[in-house]
Amino acid sequence: MCGERRFPAASVVKVGILAALLLRAQDQGRRPGPAERACAEAMIRRSDNDAASALWAAIGGPAGLDAAHARLGLTETSADRAWGRTRTTARDQVALLRAVFGDGGADGPGVLDARSRAYVATLMGQVVPGQDWGVSAAGRGAALKNGWMTRDATGLWAVHSVGRVRAPDGRALLIAVLSEGHATMEAGIAVVERTSVEMAGGRRAAGAPQDHRAGQ
C-alpha cells in the first residue's frame, strides 16, 4: 500500500466534514436536523461548496475536523482554515472509508454508529451524473466522493477519488486515489480511473503523472 504523501484534500474532505457532523450529533444524543441533512445531501451528492462551508462552521472548523479525524483513526491529516486546503494522505482516506463502510468491529474504530454509517454510504452512492467518475471505473455499485482543484502556485490540477466499489470478482474494495500535477482536470480523471482499475486488479497504464493510492 502506498499512501504516505500528503495532498490538498479538495472536496474529498467533505466526507470527513459529514462524519464530524454525525459524530457531534451522536454525542448530543440526536440525529441531524432538516437543515443539516439538506446541506449534507448537497455537499456529498453535488459537491456544493456553500453547503460544505455551512457544515464546516457547524462542526467547529479546523479544530472540529481534526478532533473527529482523531476519533476515526486518521493520523496524517491536518485541517486548514480553508477546508479544501486540508492536507491528507491516501492511507488516511482509506482509514476514513473503513470508518464509514466497516461493520464497527475489527475493520474500523466503530465510532460512527450503524445509522450514521448507512447515511454517509447512501449519499456517496447517490452522487449526481457528471461527478460519478473516478473509483467507479474499478467496478460496479460505487459509493464515492471526488475532489478537484487547481494549485495557485502552478495552475496544475489536483484530482482525487475515494470510495467503495464491487470488483468484477465480487470483492468489495475501498480505494483512495490522490493525484496532482495534471495540466487539465480531464487528464487527472484519466489517471485516477486507470489507477483505480489497477487497484482492482487490472493493468496499469504506463506514463501516468505522480499519484499515490491506497486500497483495502
Side-chain angles (χ1 to χ4, degrees), residues 107-182:
D107 290 334
V111 178
L112 287 171
D113 64 27
R115 190 169 175 181
S116 292
R117 295 196 304 271
Y119 181 61
V120 182
T122 296
L123 293 184
M124 290 177 69
Q126 297 175 343
V127 171
V128 297
Q131 293 187 18
D132 54 357
W133 46 266
V135 299
S136 55
R140 52 189 173 80
L144 56 80
K145 183 72 192 79
N146 297 325
W148 57 95
M149 66 185 293
T150 53
R151 302 300 304 274
D152 293 339
T154 64
L156 298 176
W157 284 83
V159 181
H160 314 318
S161 186
V162 303
R164 180 191 64 185
V165 299
R166 185 72 61 180
D169 63 6
R171 292 174 298 153
L173 300 176
L174 304 180
I175 300 175
V177 183
L178 309 183
S179 71
E180 63 179 358
H182 309 291

Side-chain angles (χ1 to χ4, degrees), residues 175 177 190-200 204 208 211-213:
I175 300 175
V177 183
V191 168
V192 166
E193 293 191 337
R194 288 199 302 268
T195 305
S196 298
V197 170
E198 177 198 358
M199 295 300 298
R204 183 183 182 188
D211 64 79
H212 276 206
R213 60 256 181 215

Side-chain angles (χ1 to χ4, degrees), residues 8-11 13 17 52-53 56 61-62 65 78-87 149 152:
S11 284
V13 76
I17 293 173
S53 294
W56 181 245
L65 185 64
S78 57
D80 188 275
R81 286 181 296 177
W83 48 260
R85 291 201 294 266
T86 292
R87 306 289 294 185
M149 66 185 293
D152 293 339

Side-chain angles (χ1 to χ4, degrees), residues 56-107:
W56 181 245
I59 67 170
L65 185 64
D66 282 340
H69 279 164
R71 291 173 64 180
L72 295 167
L74 282 67
T75 61
E76 301 168 333
T77 300
S78 57
D80 188 275
R81 286 181 296 177
W83 48 260
R85 291 201 294 266
T86 292
R87 306 289 294 185
T88 192
T89 65
R91 182 161 55 196
D92 259 9
Q93 289 304 305
V94 170
L96 181 56
L97 292 172
R98 288 196 192 107
V100 170
F101 294 105
D103 61 6
D107 290 334

Side-chain angles (χ1 to χ4, degrees), residues 31-77:
R31 309 311 301 182
E36 292 171 323
R37 291 197 302 272
C39 283
E41 179 175 349
M43 177 177 70
I44 300 298
R45 296 190 64 234
R46 297 189 284 106
S47 207
D48 185 277
N49 289 337
D50 290 339
S53 294
L55 295 184
W56 181 245
I59 67 170
L65 185 64
D66 282 340
H69 279 164
R71 291 173 64 180
L72 295 167
L74 282 67
T75 61
E76 301 168 333
T77 300

